Amino acid sequence: MIVTQRAAQATDPLSVPSNAPEHCPGTESEQAGKADACNGCANQEICASNTPKGPDPALPFIRARMASVKRKLLVLSGKGGVGKSTFTAQLGWAFAADDSTQTGVMDVDISGPSIPTILGIAAEQVHSSAQGWSPVYVQDNLGVMSVGFMLPSSKDAVMWRGPKKNGLIAQFLKDVDWGELDYLVIDTPPGTSDEHLSVVQYLKESGIDGAILITTPQEVALQDVRREFDFCRKVGVKVLGLVENMSGFVCPSCKGESQIFKPSTGGAERLAKELSIPLLGKVPLDPRIGKSADYGVSFLDEYPESPASIAYIDIIEKIREALGDA
Amino acid sequence: MAIQETPVARRLKTVKHVVIVLSGKGGVGKSSVSAQLALSLHASSPNVRVGILDVDLTGPSIPRMLGLDGHGVHQSSDGWVPVYADAKSGGEPRLACMSVGFLLKNRGDSVVWRGPKKNAMIRQFLSDVRWGELDYLVIDTPPGTSDEHLSLMEHLAPVQSKLSAVIVTTPQAVALLDAMKCLSFTRAVSLPVLGLVENMSGYVCPCCGEVSNVFSTGGGEEMARREKLTFLGSMPVDTELVTLLDAAESDRKNGGDDDNAASAEAEARSFELLQRYQATSSAKLFSTITAEVTRAVAAGMAKESGGEPPESG
């Protein structure tokens, strides 16, 4: 007989500890400690004994550290290379444009940190003080933390499995001396895996104010964004809205607009409607955005008149509104 | 060296070469290069057999690109049956495809898995899929150098001599930085690199023909020279190809969730895909890359029997 194989999806992803075996039923489950998969797990006895399970020891420290952070934002996208880091950087710069606003940018893309390059601080190092690790400052009110600052050379690959990545993310949240922050913008790697679960888990108590989903117009990207939205729903993170990046390209010589990544299935507009989330805006593809990112300068400051800058500023304004900070 | 008999080794005995498509950065076109490599290898000879395995578990794009959205995987006594992209071509199917996308109920379902579970899935893909005789198995990977990559290398260790990698990058500095990390990874796990592909190098304006370097240009070639890698070629942004792989022609009137209709439609389309791909301008450019890959793989095998893999560390 032919049987169609389906992936089992019953457990609550948030209740599976990072060092659990492959088929962990989740610590909150009835089956905790009793399922077949639990045999050999280091935590089996704790789960089976039904005693109240202690939270992660890092949690109180994270809560204490995050108490001085007003707004915590996630920048997400299922797909890679759609402009998460570029958008995060623009958002950071835009928030920090107001001298009285303290902004932090945290890059949890452990195996491909781009934030240091985009913000033009790739050569910096992290210093530790009595208060913890000091973020690297782009300007007085814009602090940044990324694994990129900790590598001996930019060529070095970080080949880590999940638990080690989670450990570093916990450290970023509890050991970094962020100080008083108005905004903490968190840039994530593509996908819905360890890094995403860990950030959400660690910030559950402190609360995440919302997530911004980034996409490009073609269906291949929208598919992945649908998955990311599903992830947000599963873990209970509010989605502030969707941004369509690389939306149309204006030829610098003839000014004719063409679609490099065609919105074959209606693009972000249709997806936003389908998922009933706001479409925050569309940013056209401008080669100067990529250039600015390579040189580590702020696109908004360099080309304030360009259509892309206007789109960015409009989107950022909408995000402020959605947060109630406008 | 005696090959250890792990289930993966046993299963991959009938596979001649494994080509892993890597890139440190996301969205540079790993999946589209993998898909093109598979299509182009498939077209290179009337009896070459190609498999394509998508280990991007949280963002599988291969099903969409090969027009196989909506298919399910069937179980047989000899393991999972891959989905054949050329099932409708009449002859013996020889383009096998496997992805986590085939295992999801809905297109929008997310796979929220941590490392150990991803590791198990990859092991299953390698040991439980009934690939049959294959000349090439192309493996599409997620961005980064993390769980999926380490698991892949770990499980493929018994067939190390069949492995080689192709690195994909785009020309801008941010992507090259990640490509360098990826290269360090291949060196750390002693995976021979066949060469580097520079993707999205230049875009031809459809109205005036002006070439703009949307993501700059030449960076990949420069990196290949610096790191003494073979430069396999650069691919411009080809909207025709983007549209083709995005399957724009599929008319999804009701969201496309109707399983039967979607898969029947998809089957008809995927067979067409092979022919339509041949008509794109990218296909011609890519065929030189494929020729280079085939040549390097064959040369690598020859060298392999003599000793060390061709590594310019």
Side-chain angles (χ1 to χ4, degrees):
Chain A
M1 199 184 78
I2 290 174
V3 184
T4 306
Q5 188 80 27
R6 299 287 192 196
Q9 295 220 334
T11 49
D12 170 13
L14 276 186
S15 80
V16 176
S18 55
N19 58 352
E22 14 185 275
H23 296 295
C24 174
T27 52
E28 308 292 317
S29 144
E30 289 275 294
Q31 286 295 308
K34 299 177 193 110
D36 287 345
C38 298
N39 291 330
C41 173
N43 302 322
Q44 185 184 11
E45 276 184 27
I46 308 172
C47 281
S49 66
N50 240 343
T51 45
K53 292 136 204 163
D56 190 311
L59 282 177
F61 296 104
I62 292 175
R63 195 174 46 212
R65 189 67 87 174
M66 287 295 130
S68 58
V69 177
K70 280 198 202 112
R71 300 274 185 213
K72 293 169 266 323
L73 297 176
L74 286 180
V75 178
L76 297 171
S77 154
K79 188 153 160 48
V82 296
K84 282 178 300 301
S85 301
T86 311
F87 186 80
T88 308
Q90 301 303 343
L91 200 56
W93 261 312
F95 283 146
D98 179 355
D99 284 339
S100 60
T101 310
Q102 289 293 327
T103 309
V105 173
M106 187 175 122
D107 181 8
V108 301
D109 189 346
I110 312 277
S111 52
S114 324
I115 286 288
T117 312
I118 296 179
L119 289 172
I121 42 175
E124 302 292 326
Q125 296 269 310
V126 169
H127 300 281
S128 56
S129 69
Q131 276 79 42
W133 297 346
S134 303
V136 173
Y137 285 91
V138 182
Q139 56 193 59
D140 281 347
N141 57 348
L142 181 56
V144 184
M145 182 49 76
S146 163
V147 75
F149 301 133
M150 299 174 183
L151 301 176
S153 134
S154 67
K155 289 181 187 176
D156 288 320
V158 180
M159 290 176 266
W160 288 356
R161 287 191 180 270
K164 210 161 169 183
K165 294 193 281 194
N166 302 332
L168 187 73
I169 292 172
Q171 278 195 293
F172 276 0
L173 290 169
K174 75 178 159 72
D175 293 345
V176 175
D177 178 24
W178 292 107
E180 294 276 331
L181 283 186
D182 293 294
Y183 295 99
L184 178 64
V185 187
I186 303 174
D187 183 27
T188 62
T192 51
S193 192
D194 285 285
E195 293 89 339
H196 310 81
L197 279 170
S198 297
V199 167
V200 173
Q201 236 162 11
Y202 289 134
L203 290 179
K204 204 171 182 186
E205 283 185 49
S206 322
I208 294 172
D209 291 270
I212 299 146
L213 299 183
I214 316 282
T215 186
T216 49
Q218 78 276 36
E219 175 62 21
V220 174
L222 297 175
Q223 263 191 336
D224 289 350
V225 173
R226 256 185 220 110
R227 298 190 180 106
E228 200 73 40
F229 179 77
D230 189 50
F231 166 81
C232 290
R233 195 181 48 76
K234 276 183 187 161
V235 299
V237 169
K238 185 183 162 201
V239 175
L240 294 176
L242 187 66
V243 175
E244 182 174 277
N245 222 345
M246 307 193 193
S247 159
F249 171 71
V250 180
C251 173
S253 77
C254 71
K255 306 288 170 219
E257 192 174 335
S258 57
Q259 300 284 342
I260 294 189
F261 301 107
K262 284 204 183 84
S264 57
T265 54
E269 220 164 316
R270 169 137 168 211
L271 183 69
K273 223 173 266 163
E274 187 186 315
L275 302 176
S276 340
I277 50 175
L279 176 67
L280 296 171
K282 295 182 178 185
V283 182
L285 186 56
D286 187 332
R288 293 174 301 184
I289 299 178
K291 275 267 157 53
S292 310
D294 278 359
Y295 293 121
V297 293
S298 165
F299 178 76
L300 292 178
D301 292 348
E302 294 285 307
Y303 308 100
E305 303 300 318
S306 79
S309 287
I310 295 165
Y312 270 133
I313 289 166
D314 184 48
I315 291 167
I316 290 159
E317 215 33 62
K318 279 189 190 150
I319 292 172
R320 279 212 181 99
E321 259 167 50
L323 289 170
D325 295 347
Chain B
M1 186 182 74
I3 292 176
Q4 296 157 34
E5 275 285 293
T6 63
V8 175
R10 214 172 304 135
R11 183 65 78 173
L12 296 183
K13 251 185 197 160
T14 53
V15 175
K16 289 207 191 97
H17 308 291
V18 180
V19 180
I20 305 175
V21 179
L22 294 169
S23 126
K25 188 156 158 47
V28 297
K30 282 176 300 303
S31 300
S32 84
V33 165
S34 306
Q36 288 192 71
L37 188 59
L39 289 174
S40 168
L41 282 169
H42 180 271
S44 67
S45 142
N47 42 27
V48 66
R49 304 173 64 101
V50 186
I52 180 162
L53 172 64
D54 182 5
V55 301
D56 190 345
L57 303 178
T58 56
S61 315
I62 290 291
R64 180 84 196 171
M65 289 194 174
L66 293 179
L68 297 172
D69 252 355
H71 278 264
V73 167
H74 300 288
Q75 186 103 314
S76 79
S77 56
D78 191 28
W80 295 355
V81 184
V83 176
Y84 287 93
D86 55 350
K88 282 285 170 74
S89 63
E92 195 191 358
R94 51 192 184 86
L95 182 53
C97 177
M98 180 51 79
S99 161
V100 79
F102 298 139
L103 305 175
L104 301 175
K105 274 197 202 74
N106 288 311
R107 279 178 313 145
D109 280 350
S110 61
V111 176
V112 189
W113 289 349
R114 288 192 180 268
K117 219 160 166 177
K118 293 197 282 193
N119 182 30
M121 190 78 233
I122 291 172
R123 195 183 56 222
Q124 271 196 298
F125 273 158
L126 292 170
S127 63
D128 293 357
V129 176
R130 198 192 69 186
W131 293 108
E133 293 272 343
L134 285 185
D135 294 290
Y136 300 95
L137 177 62
V138 179
I139 303 185
D140 182 25
T141 62
T145 50
S146 189
D147 286 289
E148 288 90 339
H149 309 80
L150 291 168
S151 300
L152 204 55
M153 292 316 297
E154 201 174 284
H155 297 310
L156 288 174
V159 291
Q160 177 83 27
S161 61
K162 296 179 181 177
L163 305 184
S164 50
V166 169
I167 298 179
V168 184
T169 185
T170 50
Q172 78 270 41
V174 175
L176 289 169
L177 205 69
D178 289 351
M180 271 313 302
K181 289 185 199 296
C182 180
L183 185 64
S184 303
F185 170 81
T186 60
R187 286 176 178 163
V189 298
S190 51
L191 176 65
V193 178
L194 295 175
L196 191 78
V197 176
E198 180 178 298
N199 204 8
M200 306 196 194
S201 168
Y203 170 65
V204 183
C205 174
C207 41
C208 67
E210 165 95 8
V211 178
S212 1
N213 295 318
V214 183
F215 300 107
S216 143
T217 193
E221 195 164 2
E222 170 65 34
M223 173 179 157
R225 198 165 46 237
R226 206 174 49 232
E227 298 296 327
K228 300 189 178 61
L229 293 173
T230 314
F231 183 65
L232 293 172
S234 56
M235 301 291 296
V237 178
D238 178 355
T239 46
E240 209 183 336
L241 181 75
V242 173
T243 315
L244 179 66
L245 293 180
D246 207 30
E249 265 73 330
S250 86
D251 198 359
R252 296 184 307 110
K253 287 188 189 81
N254 48 9
D257 287 328
D258 187 344
D259 233 31
N260 283 329
S263 73
E265 179 199 349
E267 259 172 43
R269 207 174 56 227
S270 62
F271 171 50
E272 251 182 74
L273 178 85
L274 299 171
Q275 283 145 8
R276 295 225 329 268
Y277 173 65
Q278 294 305 314
T280 62
S281 56
S282 291
K284 278 159 219 100
L285 281 170
F286 205 87
S287 64
T288 62
I289 295 181
T290 308
E292 183 61 30
V293 167
T294 357
R295 197 197 56 72
V297 166
M301 286 301 274
K303 244 186 232 174
E304 188 60 38
S305 55
E308 283 299 290
E311 249 258 90
S312 50

